[in-house]
């Protein structure tokens, strides 16, 4: 580390330690003035973020790590930037606004340094050092935001998928899964997991997969249905597919899809009646028994 860089680090460290409240206040003010927030994050939370990041900057500057690696190599500082980005992601801020909010710290910090020196060379050296330091922080915040937002979207999609494929108990030892929308690989896995777990929990003997809400059945959808049926059978239960409308039956026939090994019914009511007969057998008059 050169003598000049050491002097810059010392100057910035002193400003952060002696003028931390002033820097934090100015940083929060800049974010609000520049409309860098399009969320419900309040001033108190902004101040808490500022205090955390400013405090973490001090050991980073004192570490002697090259300026380009201070943010990524200092655990507390890295955690502060990542935490800020994740909170902004959850609050719905844009990645650009999040990155710009971090970069706004440059102005607040430089203003604090100006109170200690008016020397043009010292200020220029401090500004260059801060740019290199906080540009990395801005890039990290952008990257963290994007990755965090993708994870949030994946988690929300998973939750929506699970909620959109409920397993319903229709009768004693009879379960049903009403499917709505397209049945792709990811959703098939969720349906299969939920249904198999429900079969075990309820000791079900018949599972009805209702495809009334499925707009069309092609080769891929038929394959997914077959996978689910086979998994149900491995659990020792029978499977009935209901909701086979005329248009779907015609499509299946035209595509040459073989569903001959699967019991199908036109409506959910027909499938339930069939399931009850499979469990209880016909009553004395040929009617299904009471399996409630």
């Amino acid at each position: 580390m050169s003598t000049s860089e050491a002097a810059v680090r010392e100057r910035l460290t002193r400003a952060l330690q002696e003028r931390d409240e002033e820097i934090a206040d100015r940083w929060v003010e800049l974010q609000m003035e520049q409309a860098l927030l399009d969320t419900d994050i309040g001033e108190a939370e902004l101040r808490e973020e500022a205090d955390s990041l400013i405090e973490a900057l001090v050991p980073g500057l004192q570490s002697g790590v090259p300026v380009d690696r201070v943010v990524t190599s200092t655990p507390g500082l890295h955690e502060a930037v990542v935490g800020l980005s994740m909170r902004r992601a959850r609050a719905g801020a844009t990645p650009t606004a999040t990155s710009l909010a971090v970069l706004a710290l440059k102005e607040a910090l430089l203003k604090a340094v100006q109170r200690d020196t008016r020397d043009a060379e010292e200020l220029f050296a401090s500004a260059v050092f801060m740019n290199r330091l906080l540009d990395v922080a801005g890039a990290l915040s952008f990257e963290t935001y994007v990755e965090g937002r993708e994870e949030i979207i994946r988690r929300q999609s998973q939750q929506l998928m699970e909620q959109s494929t409920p397993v319903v108990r229709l009768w004693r030892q009879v379960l049903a899964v009403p499917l709505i929308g397209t049945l792709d690989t990811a959703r098939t896995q969720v349906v299969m997991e939920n249904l198999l777990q429900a079969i075990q929990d309820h000791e079900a003997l018949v599972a009805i997969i209702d495809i009334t809400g499925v707009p069309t059945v092609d080769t891929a959808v038929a394959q997914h249905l077959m996978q689910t049926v086979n998994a149900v059978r491995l659990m020792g239960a029978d499977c009935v597919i209901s909701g086979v409308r005329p248009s779907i039956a015609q499509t299946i026939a035209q595509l040459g899809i073989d569903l001959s090994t699967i019991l199908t019914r036109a409506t959910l009511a027909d499938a339930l009646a069939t399931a009850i007969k499979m469990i209880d057998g016909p009553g004395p008059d040929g009617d299904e028994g009471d399996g409630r």
Side-chain angles (χ1 to χ4, degrees):
M1 183 189 307
S2 66
T3 304
S4 60
E5 182 176 324
V8 170
R9 285 175 179 257
E10 183 179 351
R11 190 179 304 116
L12 292 176
T13 299
R14 185 168 60 250
L16 288 166
Q17 291 175 326
E18 297 177 358
R19 305 185 185 279
D20 54 336
E21 292 188 6
E22 176 186 329
I23 295 170
D25 288 340
R26 181 55 181 158
W27 188 26
V28 170
E29 183 181 345
L30 284 169
Q31 292 182 72
M32 301 184 74
E33 284 180 355
Q34 297 173 13
L36 296 177
L37 295 171
D38 188 20
T39 69
D40 57 357
I41 297 178
E43 186 174 348
E45 188 173 352
L46 290 177
R47 180 54 190 264
E48 185 178 345
E49 288 179 347
D51 291 340
S52 175
L53 189 55
I54 290 170
E55 181 181 357
L57 275 168
V58 174
L61 292 173
Q62 294 175 333
S63 66
V65 174
V67 61
D68 297 330
R69 300 210 318 265
V70 168
V71 174
T72 56
S73 301
T74 307
L77 182 54
H78 183 275
E79 182 179 338
V81 175
V82 169
L84 180 151
S85 301
M86 290 302 295
R87 283 190 294 274
R88 302 296 173 92
R90 287 191 289 267
T94 66
T96 300
T98 301
S99 181
L100 289 175
V102 174
L103 297 178
L105 179 56
K106 294 180 183 181
E107 182 178 336
L109 186 51
L110 185 59
K111 184 176 181 180
V113 172
Q114 285 178 321
R115 293 185 179 278
D116 294 328
T117 179
R118 292 289 181 178
D119 184 273
E121 290 187 3
E122 291 182 353
L123 289 174
F124 178 76
S126 298
V128 171
F129 185 92
M130 282 189 295
N131 280 334
R132 295 176 62 189
L133 174 69
L134 293 177
D135 282 350
V136 175
L140 175 62
S141 69
F142 190 95
E143 179 182 354
T144 300
Y145 178 103
V146 173
E147 292 178 352
R149 195 65 179 166
E150 288 177 352
E151 177 59 29
I152 291 172
I153 292 172
R154 283 195 296 269
R155 188 163 56 246
Q156 291 175 340
S157 297
Q158 180 71 14
Q159 292 172 349
L160 287 173
M161 196 179 298
E162 291 176 353
Q163 293 174 0
S164 66
T165 53
V167 180
V168 183
R169 182 177 181 271
L170 296 181
W171 202 267
R172 176 178 58 83
Q173 297 179 307
V174 178
L175 301 176
V177 182
L179 297 180
I180 299 175
T182 303
L183 189 64
D184 56 18
T185 302
R187 194 174 182 203
T188 299
Q189 186 64 30
V190 173
V191 171
M192 195 180 299
E193 291 176 358
N194 291 349
L195 181 55
L196 297 183
Q197 185 61 51
I199 288 173
Q200 181 179 7
D201 294 342
H202 296 284
E203 298 181 350
L205 296 179
V206 181
I208 301 172
I209 301 177
D210 184 69
I211 61 172
T212 303
V214 177
T216 184
V217 174
D218 55 18
T219 304
V221 172
Q223 183 178 6
H224 293 317
L225 289 173
M226 288 295 297
Q227 291 174 352
T228 305
V229 170
N230 290 336
V232 169
R233 288 172 175 170
L234 288 174
M235 291 289 292
D238 290 316
C239 197
V240 181
I241 294 181
S242 64
V244 182
R245 305 184 299 279
S247 59
I248 288 182
Q250 185 176 2
T251 301
I252 291 174
Q254 290 174 344
L255 292 175
I257 299 173
D258 184 14
L259 296 182
S260 60
T261 60
I262 303 175
L263 188 60
T264 61
R265 291 293 182 268
T267 67
L268 181 59
D270 292 339
L272 177 57
T274 299
I276 294 173
K277 289 181 180 179
M278 293 169 66
I279 293 175
D280 296 337
D285 297 324
D287 297 327
E288 58 271 14
D290 184 3
R292 293 181 185 272

